Amino acid sequence: MEKLGLNEIRTRFLEFFRGKDHLILPSFSLIPQKDKSLLLINAGMAPLKPYFTGQEKPPKKRIATCQKCIRTPDIERVGKTARHATFFEMLGNFSFGDYFKKEAIEWAWEFVTQDLKLPEDRLWASIYEQDDEAFEIWHRVVGLPEHKIVRMGKEDNFWEIGTGPCGPCSEIYFDRGPDKGCGKPDCRPGCDCDRFVEFWNLVFTQFNKDEEGNYHPLPHPNIDTGMGLERIAAIMQGVDSIFEVDTIRSILDHISQIAGIEYGESYKTDVSLRVITDHIRSTTFMVGDGILPSNEGRGYVLRRILRRAARHGRLLGIEGPFLSRLAKTVISQSCNAYPELKEREEYILKVIEIEEERFRETIDQGLAYLREYMDELKEQGQKVLDGVKAFKLYDTYGFPLDLTKEILQEEGLEVDEEGFRREMEVQRERARAAHRITDYMGMDSNVYKLIDAEVSTRFVGYHALESHSRVLAIIKDDTRVQSAAQGDEIAVVLDQSPFYAESGGQVADQGLLLWDNGRMEIRDVKKLFGNKIIHYGRMIEGTLEQGDVVHAVVDREARLAAARNHTATHLLHSALREVLGPHVEQAGSLVTPQRLRFDFSHFSALSSEEILKVERLVNQKIMEAIPVEVFETTFDEAKEMRAIALFGEKYGDRVRVVKIGDFSIELCGGTHLTNTGQAGMFKIVSESGVAAGVRRVEAITGFEVYNHILNQDRLIGYVCRELKTNPFDLEGRVQGLIAQIKEQEREIANLRAKLASSLVDSLIEAGQEIGGIKCIAANVEGQDIEGLRHMMDVMKDKMRVGVVVLATASDGKVHFVAGATKDAVAKGVHVGNLLREVAKITGGGGGGRPDMAQAGGKDASKLQEALSQVCVLLAKQLGIK
């Protein structure tokens, strides 16, 4: 058996199926396209769903891919087993109504025995127990002995998800030898031991399951196969674990070198080495596809994986950031198959570096709080951490739930996951915007089911804002109807449309459908798979019938305003690259008639000077009135022109190019001006950060800039009238007022300090002696938090051994500060713990160090009660009864 490297196996697989007349597609992005049922691509067939459902015509009936995938349900087992991983590559060959079982089985056998040269005597197959056809092919055609074809039940060898396409499976197994098995005489595929490894699953999609559970034969059955690249590489290289496969082992060895730890020395350190190895692969590929760390969705998946890897680095004793160094090894091992990794290497490394640094800054503080929480649980004899506290660790200190669970488990504790999820849902409800409920295919699946696969819409809106169109389908309340009447909220499919459907960050056109005695307002437009354009809106008057011809009219002013902003977005992109550097890449955009929003890769806030440079450059290009050229060409020709492609976007052979002189050239499907001068003027209204390594610019053009200037003039006029000055003297007048206010604030601070100093001696005099420590607890009215801190410091300086807790109340809320002298701390005082208990009485919380702490409370009526407990709690802390 030839010992092949992982990269060689990938190449051989794709070339083998190229020889079988398959179209070889590059891996799709990990970000699902038009499929909101998935956060991340988790299987080789996932990006090909529209071809399997018939909603989109495949570019060829035979396709093969090597698809990068992410799965996280078993993340807790990663590192603890030889096979579990969050990142993997899936080899697959697919047939859409072309070949079927015979070819799929024969070619699979040919590839593994003739190309990979796996010994036939170590190969087994499993089939669905009722699939006699597959048995005959394996036994009669391939020649596999009958005893090596194992029949299994529906749970193991039948693929289905709810209703829809489904079918039996056949799996190919490799026998690793009796020494890897359980020793039972009947050991064979399906046994729980490690002897037989399943490495290729052939799915024969031949039925359609209806709502009643009946299976109907499909007129054109499909083939969907999946072979884990890492798993077959482990077999070919004769290793027991995917972590010992050549490309993956090189990453693991790099970590071992950084940590100064030998792999195989101990189970505990091996787990950490394997966790980091897997997680840095996931992290590198996710960032490479444009995913950024965040607290929502796929960004949260990335954040928890990256931070989990960082924490295991700390467990290995690695000091400082190290993940970006490992990412370079991942890139070097995989860049031939995935060239985008090398193209975006600088960006990938920077995003990882920033996120790891952010985690480093927060983890120590978060760990301190978690340690306090665990100490509390142990003191109280409890085992479960409150979900609210777990959520605080997540929300404030960036601790993913699984990280909190992991640390707690090391101490024999657990977390109230249900309570955590309740808090998470409360936060989501606050932030959740109204959106259309989606499922399997990412848009309304009912819409997909109701519209024939052959139906499509021709978009004519690049060159026309009006068209005469025929109504192909009307949908109301998730039901296909023949007609609609006044007041109905409906969705309409036309044979041709001038309406731009929401895409590429540009919002949809709005407008009207007009016909004799009838009118429909179009509010939104979506493009579904298979070139179906759905027009959502409300019937204003009349009746609309399927088959009617309507006059479709786009709102001309809104379209032109959106075009101003879209062309300006391209100018902005190029200006940012010129001013900040070529590392700037688009990370997201929004184009509306009112404004534009552009997210881009950059690692620090823009200075005022940089913003002015960018703004001036865009306006310069507008004033030059450069013609905007739009044309179609091949993707390869566009790359030769150095056209900029969108991060993570999938392009076909033909692409649309938008070229603005020598200043900007991008692939884009949006609507644009014919000349930059039509934009009028460009104004940046804000610049901010939205994620690690991503900045956001919001800007306006055209009449919105004019309106902005009018509003600024009105504001300046109002301020001048109130300050009794004119626009030319306004700056000097404001500076004078600021100086006056600062002087008055200094006088107030001095008066407060004098007042506080006059109280200090009397408060010290009134303090109690507790175990040789002066204990002072007082409510100081009229002081802010800074005033309290100043008083506390003065009092500590005047005492040799003492504890001070001061409080003030304002607007129903309470503020506490506490301090302890060095000698008091030496006697066992911890004011952070003490103050936390005091604050609880007022419905608040807080804490801090042994010598200094701060806290807040919600119920000012309990302030006096809380202060009365300070000396009691101090005595308890000192063990005085």
Side-chain angles (χ1 to χ4, degrees), residues 518-786:
R519 184 160 54 109
M520 177 185 173
E521 178 187 21
I522 302 300
R523 298 172 179 166
D524 197 9
V525 187
K526 305 279 187 189
K527 186 176 181 181
L528 308 186
F529 287 114
N531 293 320
K532 299 171 179 63
I533 297 180
I534 312 295
H535 306 74
Y536 296 92
R538 182 172 181 271
M539 291 285 292
I540 304 300
E541 58 182 315
T543 300
L544 183 63
E545 301 272 352
Q546 182 175 315
D548 282 353
V549 174
V550 297
H551 185 203
V553 182
V554 173
D555 182 329
R556 187 176 298 271
E557 287 304 315
R559 164 70 81 85
L560 181 57
R564 288 190 191 103
N565 286 330
H566 205 149
T567 299
T569 300
H570 285 218
L571 295 174
L572 171 63
H573 190 179
S574 291
L576 287 165
R577 290 171 69 88
E578 189 163 315
V579 173
L580 303 177
H583 64 277
V584 168
E585 287 204 55
Q586 179 172 334
S589 71
L590 175 69
V591 175
T592 76
Q594 293 76 34
R595 65 190 176 100
L596 67 92
R597 187 181 75 206
F598 187 73
D599 297 344
F600 58 97
S601 53
H602 189 57
F603 307 102
S604 61
L606 272 66
S607 67
S608 299
E609 184 182 356
E610 287 171 331
I611 290 172
L612 284 173
K613 278 184 179 178
V614 170
E615 192 176 83
R616 183 177 180 81
L617 184 52
V618 173
N619 279 304
Q620 178 185 325
K621 297 305 172 184
I622 289 172
M623 292 175 190
E624 287 175 10
I626 304 168
V628 179
E629 300 175 64
V630 180
F631 56 90
E632 282 195 1
T633 185
T634 66
F635 182 70
D636 290 338
E637 286 174 351
K639 283 181 73 176
E640 286 178 17
M641 296 176 196
R642 307 185 77 83
I644 295 174
L646 281 183
F647 217 8
E649 187 68 45
K650 198 76 177 174
Y651 295 98
D653 291 335
R654 301 288 297 177
V655 292
R656 187 169 181 266
V657 178
V658 177
K659 185 174 183 293
I660 306 173
D662 297 327
F663 188 65
S664 168
I665 180 167
E666 295 192 32
L667 305 187
C668 180
T671 64
H672 285 272
L673 304 172
T674 57
N675 184 292
T676 60
Q678 293 172 289
M681 194 174 180
F682 172 85
K683 175 67 182 170
I684 293 174
V685 294
S686 72
E687 189 275 341
S688 60
V690 291
V694 177
R695 306 299 299 177
R696 171 173 290 173
V697 163
E698 297 194 58
I700 51 178
T701 61
F703 284 106
E704 293 297 327
V705 178
Y706 176 69
N707 292 333
H708 177 79
I709 293 169
L710 288 180
N711 289 332
Q712 293 292 308
D713 280 347
R714 287 193 199 98
L715 179 61
I716 291 170
Y718 169 76
V719 173
C720 286
R721 287 192 299 274
E722 290 296 308
L723 298 182
K724 296 181 175 56
T725 187
N726 61 66
F728 301 103
D729 298 330
L730 181 58
E731 187 175 352
R733 177 76 170 123
V734 170
Q735 288 174 347
L737 286 171
I738 290 171
Q740 183 180 336
I741 290 167
K742 284 182 178 178
E743 181 58 34
Q744 289 172 344
E745 286 175 344
R746 276 194 292 271
E747 288 180 21
I748 292 169
N750 289 335
L751 289 171
R752 279 182 172 166
K754 288 178 182 177
L755 178 63
S757 296
S758 68
L759 289 172
V760 163
D761 292 338
S762 59
L763 288 175
I764 292 173
E765 185 67 27
Q768 298 181 45
E769 287 285 336
I770 307 291
I773 296 174
K774 179 77 80 170
C775 177
I776 300 161
N779 174 17
V780 185
E781 296 180 358
Q783 288 288 348
D784 58 13
I785 197 75
E786 289 300 323

Side-chain angles (χ1 to χ4, degrees), residues 38 97 127 144 230 277 453 471 529 602 641 646 729 747 778 864:
L38 294 175
I127 61 171
L144 199 62
E230 293 84 356
T277 300
V471 176
F529 287 114
H602 189 57
M641 296 176 196
L646 281 183
D729 298 330
E747 288 180 21
Q864 216 50 52

Side-chain angles (χ1 to χ4, degrees), residues 78-79 81-82 241-267 269-281 316 318 322 325-327 329-330 333:
V78 172
T81 74
S241 163
I242 63 169
F243 295 97
E244 294 173 39
V245 168
D246 59 339
T247 56
I248 304 173
R249 182 60 191 253
S250 67
I251 303 165
L252 189 146
D253 287 343
H254 191 177
I255 304 164
S256 298
Q257 177 195 341
I258 292 172
I261 292 172
E262 197 71 34
Y263 184 59
E265 280 187 351
S266 83
Y267 173 75
T269 58
D270 283 356
V271 167
S272 290
L273 289 169
R274 289 191 291 261
V275 167
I276 299 166
T277 300
D278 168 74
H279 287 10
I280 193 59
R281 294 180 80 212
L316 293 176
I318 299 174
F322 69 100
R325 283 186 278 165
L326 296 179
T329 302
V330 177
Q333 292 294 327

Side-chain angles (χ1 to χ4, degrees), residues 34-37 429 432-448 478 524 526 528 536:
K34 301 178 186 175
D35 183 356
K36 294 181 183 176
S37 67
E429 283 298 327
R432 187 176 289 147
H435 66 282
R436 189 178 298 277
I437 296 172
T438 62
D439 56 15
Y440 176 70
M441 290 305 297
M443 301 289 278
D444 298 277
S445 64
N446 285 336
V447 173
Y448 276 96
D478 291 335
D524 197 9
K526 305 279 187 189
L528 308 186
Y536 296 92

Side-chain angles (χ1 to χ4, degrees), residues 241-506:
S241 163
I242 63 169
F243 295 97
E244 294 173 39
V245 168
D246 59 339
T247 56
I248 304 173
R249 182 60 191 253
S250 67
I251 303 165
L252 189 146
D253 287 343
H254 191 177
I255 304 164
S256 298
Q257 177 195 341
I258 292 172
I261 292 172
E262 197 71 34
Y263 184 59
E265 280 187 351
S266 83
Y267 173 75
K268 188 173 182 181
T269 58
D270 283 356
V271 167
S272 290
L273 289 169
R274 289 191 291 261
V275 167
I276 299 166
T277 300
D278 168 74
H279 287 10
I280 193 59
R281 294 180 80 212
S282 295
T283 295
T284 303
F285 276 89
M286 290 172 79
V287 175
D289 276 352
I291 299 167
L292 290 161
S294 72
N295 282 345
E296 287 290 334
R298 61 182 69 93
Y300 177 58
V301 176
L302 170 59
R303 173 162 281 169
R304 70 192 283 235
I305 288 173
L306 190 153
R307 292 187 170 190
R308 197 167 186 261
R311 178 175 177 268
H312 275 275
R314 291 169 72 96
L315 292 177
L316 293 176
I318 299 174
E319 296 291 335
F322 69 100
L323 292 177
S324 62
R325 283 186 278 165
L326 296 179
K328 292 190 79 164
T329 302
V330 177
I331 292 168
S332 68
Q333 292 294 327
S334 302
C335 62
N336 286 338
Y338 304 100
E340 66 272 13
L341 293 177
K342 196 66 182 175
E343 292 167 9
R344 297 166 182 155
E345 182 171 15
E346 182 185 351
Y347 171 81
I348 292 168
L349 301 183
K350 195 67 178 179
V351 170
I352 292 172
E353 187 181 304
I354 289 172
E355 179 64 16
E356 188 177 9
E357 181 61 28
R358 283 186 175 183
F359 185 47
R360 190 189 67 79
E361 289 170 359
T362 60
I363 192 170
D364 290 331
Q365 196 173 2
L367 281 172
Y369 275 102
L370 182 53
R371 175 57 59 188
E372 287 183 17
Y373 294 156
M374 291 192 293
D375 289 345
E376 282 179 17
L377 289 174
K378 290 174 182 177
E379 285 173 15
Q380 296 162 7
Q382 296 180 4
K383 291 280 188 181
V384 182
L385 178 67
D386 179 44
V388 175
K389 291 177 177 175
F391 182 76
K392 181 184 177 182
L393 289 169
Y394 158 79
D395 199 38
T396 307
Y397 302 105
F399 270 48
L401 178 62
D402 71 313
L403 178 56
T404 300
K405 284 169 60 180
E406 206 168 276
I407 296 170
L408 288 168
Q409 284 168 3
E410 291 168 4
E411 300 286 334
L413 305 170
E414 53 187 295
V415 65
D416 173 16
E417 293 188 49
E418 188 57 40
F420 175 89
R421 292 192 184 95
R422 280 196 301 270
E423 291 298 307
M424 176 73 83
E425 191 55 36
V426 168
Q427 186 194 64
R428 283 177 179 155
E429 283 298 327
R430 286 194 296 263
R432 187 176 289 147
H435 66 282
R436 189 178 298 277
I437 296 172
T438 62
D439 56 15
Y440 176 70
M441 290 305 297
M443 301 289 278
D444 298 277
S445 64
N446 285 336
V447 173
Y448 276 96
K449 293 174 184 175
L450 295 171
I451 304 171
D452 298 334
E454 295 75 24
V455 170
S456 66
T457 308
R458 185 166 66 94
F459 176 60
V460 297
Y462 286 135
H463 309 293
L465 296 183
E466 299 182 21
S467 72
H468 289 288
S469 307
R470 186 173 299 279
V471 176
L472 301 180
I474 303 172
I475 296 160
K476 176 187 172 186
D477 298 330
D478 291 335
T479 304
R480 180 86 174 260
V481 296
Q482 288 297 310
S483 65
Q486 182 175 333
D488 288 346
E489 297 280 345
I490 61 172
V492 175
V493 184
L494 304 175
D495 65 341
Q496 63 176 5
S497 173
F499 286 89
Y500 181 82
E502 180 182 353
S503 178
Q506 181 176 331

